[in-house]
mmCIF file of all heavy atoms in Angstrom:
data_model
loop_
_atom_site.group_PDB
_atom_site.id
_atom_site.type_symbol
_atom_site.label_atom_id
_atom_site.label_comp_id
_atom_site.label_asym_id
_atom_site.label_seq_id
_atom_site.Cartn_x
_atom_site.Cartn_y
_atom_site.Cartn_z
ATOM 1 N N SER R 226 0.235 -15.260 -13.414
ATOM 2 C CA SER R 226 -1.200 -14.995 -13.474
ATOM 3 C C SER R 226 -1.540 -13.729 -12.689
ATOM 4 O O SER R 226 -2.699 -13.335 -12.610
ATOM 5 C CB SER R 226 -1.978 -16.178 -12.892
ATOM 6 O OG SER R 226 -1.626 -16.382 -11.538
ATOM 7 N N GLN R 227 -0.507 -13.102 -12.109
ATOM 8 C CA GLN R 227 -0.693 -11.896 -11.311
ATOM 9 C C GLN R 227 -0.304 -10.654 -12.110
ATOM 10 O O GLN R 227 0.385 -10.731 -13.120
ATOM 11 C CB GLN R 227 0.152 -11.987 -10.034
ATOM 12 C CG GLN R 227 -0.168 -13.218 -9.199
ATOM 13 C CD GLN R 227 0.834 -13.456 -8.099
ATOM 14 O OE1 GLN R 227 1.712 -12.643 -7.841
ATOM 15 N NE2 GLN R 227 0.712 -14.591 -7.426
ATOM 16 N N ASN R 245 -2.424 -10.757 -7.195
ATOM 17 C CA ASN R 245 -3.758 -11.127 -7.681
ATOM 18 C C ASN R 245 -4.641 -11.373 -6.461
ATOM 19 O O ASN R 245 -4.592 -12.427 -5.846
ATOM 20 C CB ASN R 245 -3.705 -12.375 -8.558
ATOM 21 C CG ASN R 245 -5.089 -12.746 -9.082
ATOM 22 O OD1 ASN R 245 -6.080 -12.069 -8.818
ATOM 23 N ND2 ASN R 245 -5.166 -13.832 -9.841
ATOM 24 N N MET R 246 -5.448 -10.361 -6.130
ATOM 25 C CA MET R 246 -6.376 -10.465 -5.004
ATOM 26 C C MET R 246 -7.810 -10.455 -5.495
ATOM 27 O O MET R 246 -8.739 -10.149 -4.741
ATOM 28 C CB MET R 246 -6.137 -9.296 -4.051
ATOM 29 C CG MET R 246 -4.767 -9.285 -3.424
ATOM 30 S SD MET R 246 -4.672 -10.299 -1.960
ATOM 31 C CE MET R 246 -5.422 -9.178 -0.778
ATOM 32 N N ASN R 250 -9.337 -15.619 -8.141
ATOM 33 C CA ASN R 250 -8.138 -16.338 -7.712
ATOM 34 C C ASN R 250 -8.586 -17.507 -6.834
ATOM 35 O O ASN R 250 -8.992 -17.336 -5.678
ATOM 36 C CB ASN R 250 -7.213 -15.409 -6.923
ATOM 37 C CG ASN R 250 -5.922 -16.091 -6.480
ATOM 38 O OD1 ASN R 250 -5.801 -17.310 -6.510
ATOM 39 N ND2 ASN R 250 -4.955 -15.300 -6.061
ATOM 40 N N SER R 252 -7.098 -19.733 -5.269
ATOM 41 C CA SER R 252 -6.311 -20.046 -4.079
ATOM 42 C C SER R 252 -6.534 -19.052 -2.942
ATOM 43 O O SER R 252 -6.003 -19.241 -1.842
ATOM 44 C CB SER R 252 -4.815 -20.056 -4.425
ATOM 45 O OG SER R 252 -4.316 -18.734 -4.578
ATOM 46 N N LEU R 253 -7.335 -18.009 -3.198
ATOM 47 C CA LEU R 253 -7.442 -16.886 -2.269
ATOM 48 C C LEU R 253 -7.805 -17.309 -0.858
ATOM 49 O O LEU R 253 -7.234 -16.824 0.119
ATOM 50 C CB LEU R 253 -8.472 -15.880 -2.799
ATOM 51 C CG LEU R 253 -8.470 -14.483 -2.163
ATOM 52 C CD1 LEU R 253 -7.123 -13.809 -2.337
ATOM 53 C CD2 LEU R 253 -9.567 -13.618 -2.779
ATOM 54 N N THR R 255 -7.669 -20.467 0.368
ATOM 55 C CA THR R 255 -7.068 -21.731 0.763
ATOM 56 C C THR R 255 -5.945 -21.498 1.759
ATOM 57 O O THR R 255 -5.477 -20.368 1.948
ATOM 58 C CB THR R 255 -6.504 -22.473 -0.466
ATOM 59 O OG1 THR R 255 -5.432 -21.706 -1.035
ATOM 60 C CG2 THR R 255 -7.587 -22.692 -1.508
ATOM 61 N N ASN R 257 -2.845 -22.419 1.601
ATOM 62 C CA ASN R 257 -1.607 -22.004 0.923
ATOM 63 C C ASN R 257 -1.942 -21.115 -0.261
ATOM 64 O O ASN R 257 -1.738 -21.483 -1.420
ATOM 65 C CB ASN R 257 -0.814 -23.234 0.477
ATOM 66 C CG ASN R 257 -0.412 -24.118 1.641
ATOM 67 O OD1 ASN R 257 0.105 -23.635 2.642
ATOM 68 N ND2 ASN R 257 -0.650 -25.413 1.504
ATOM 69 N N SER R 258 -2.471 -19.935 0.014
ATOM 70 C CA SER R 258 -2.899 -19.038 -1.055
ATOM 71 C C SER R 258 -1.704 -18.495 -1.838
ATOM 72 O O SER R 258 -0.609 -18.310 -1.299
ATOM 73 C CB SER R 258 -3.707 -17.870 -0.480
ATOM 74 O OG SER R 258 -2.925 -17.108 0.421
ATOM 75 N N GLU R 259 -1.925 -18.267 -3.126
ATOM 76 C CA GLU R 259 -0.915 -17.691 -4.012
ATOM 77 C C GLU R 259 -1.433 -16.340 -4.479
ATOM 78 O O GLU R 259 -2.194 -16.252 -5.438
ATOM 79 C CB GLU R 259 -0.646 -18.617 -5.199
ATOM 80 C CG GLU R 259 0.063 -19.911 -4.840
ATOM 81 C CD GLU R 259 1.527 -19.697 -4.480
ATOM 82 O OE1 GLU R 259 2.108 -18.678 -4.935
ATOM 83 O OE2 GLU R 259 2.079 -20.532 -3.749
ATOM 84 N N THR R 260 -1.047 -15.293 -3.793
ATOM 85 C CA THR R 260 -1.577 -13.963 -4.097
ATOM 86 C C THR R 260 -0.520 -12.964 -4.544
ATOM 87 O O THR R 260 -0.860 -11.941 -5.137
ATOM 88 C CB THR R 260 -2.296 -13.373 -2.874
ATOM 89 O OG1 THR R 260 -1.386 -13.321 -1.763
ATOM 90 C CG2 THR R 260 -3.500 -14.224 -2.484
ATOM 91 N N SER R 261 0.758 -13.224 -4.285
ATOM 92 C CA SER R 261 1.772 -12.218 -4.607
ATOM 93 C C SER R 261 3.145 -12.834 -4.823
ATOM 94 O O SER R 261 3.427 -13.945 -4.364
ATOM 95 C CB SER R 261 1.855 -11.174 -3.486
ATOM 96 O OG SER R 261 2.204 -11.790 -2.257
ATOM 97 N N LYS R 262 3.985 -12.087 -5.537
ATOM 98 C CA LYS R 262 5.387 -12.446 -5.749
ATOM 99 C C LYS R 262 6.244 -11.202 -5.585
ATOM 100 O O LYS R 262 5.795 -10.088 -5.865
ATOM 101 C CB LYS R 262 5.623 -13.013 -7.157
ATOM 102 C CG LYS R 262 4.839 -14.255 -7.528
ATOM 103 C CD LYS R 262 5.168 -14.689 -8.950
ATOM 104 C CE LYS R 262 4.218 -15.780 -9.451
ATOM 105 N NZ LYS R 262 4.379 -17.036 -8.718
ATOM 106 N N GLU R 278 7.329 -15.919 -3.027
ATOM 107 C CA GLU R 278 5.970 -16.030 -3.544
ATOM 108 C C GLU R 278 5.076 -16.685 -2.512
ATOM 109 O O GLU R 278 5.545 -17.214 -1.501
ATOM 110 C CB GLU R 278 5.940 -16.796 -4.862
ATOM 111 C CG GLU R 278 6.660 -18.123 -4.840
ATOM 112 C CD GLU R 278 6.805 -18.706 -6.232
ATOM 113 O OE1 GLU R 278 5.974 -18.406 -7.112
ATOM 114 O OE2 GLU R 278 7.761 -19.479 -6.447
ATOM 115 N N GLY R 279 3.778 -16.604 -2.733
ATOM 116 C CA GLY R 279 2.828 -17.183 -1.789
ATOM 117 C C GLY R 279 1.786 -16.171 -1.368
ATOM 118 O O GLY R 279 1.322 -15.355 -2.177
ATOM 119 N N SER R 280 1.421 -16.205 -0.096
ATOM 120 C CA SER R 280 0.339 -15.340 0.386
ATOM 121 C C SER R 280 0.842 -13.941 0.734
ATOM 122 O O SER R 280 2.042 -13.678 0.746
ATOM 123 C CB SER R 280 -0.317 -15.967 1.619
ATOM 124 O OG SER R 280 0.580 -15.983 2.709
ATOM 125 N N GLY R 281 -0.110 -13.051 1.040
ATOM 126 C CA GLY R 281 0.239 -11.686 1.425
ATOM 127 C C GLY R 281 0.219 -10.726 0.253
ATOM 128 O O GLY R 281 -0.162 -11.077 -0.869
#
Side-chain angles (χ1 to χ4, degrees):
S226 61
Q227 303 169 8
N245 181 1
M246 297 275 280
N250 182 345
S252 75
L253 195 59
T255 64
N257 299 312
S258 61
E259 291 288 336
T260 58
S261 60
K262 301 179 190 293
E278 51 190 333
S280 67

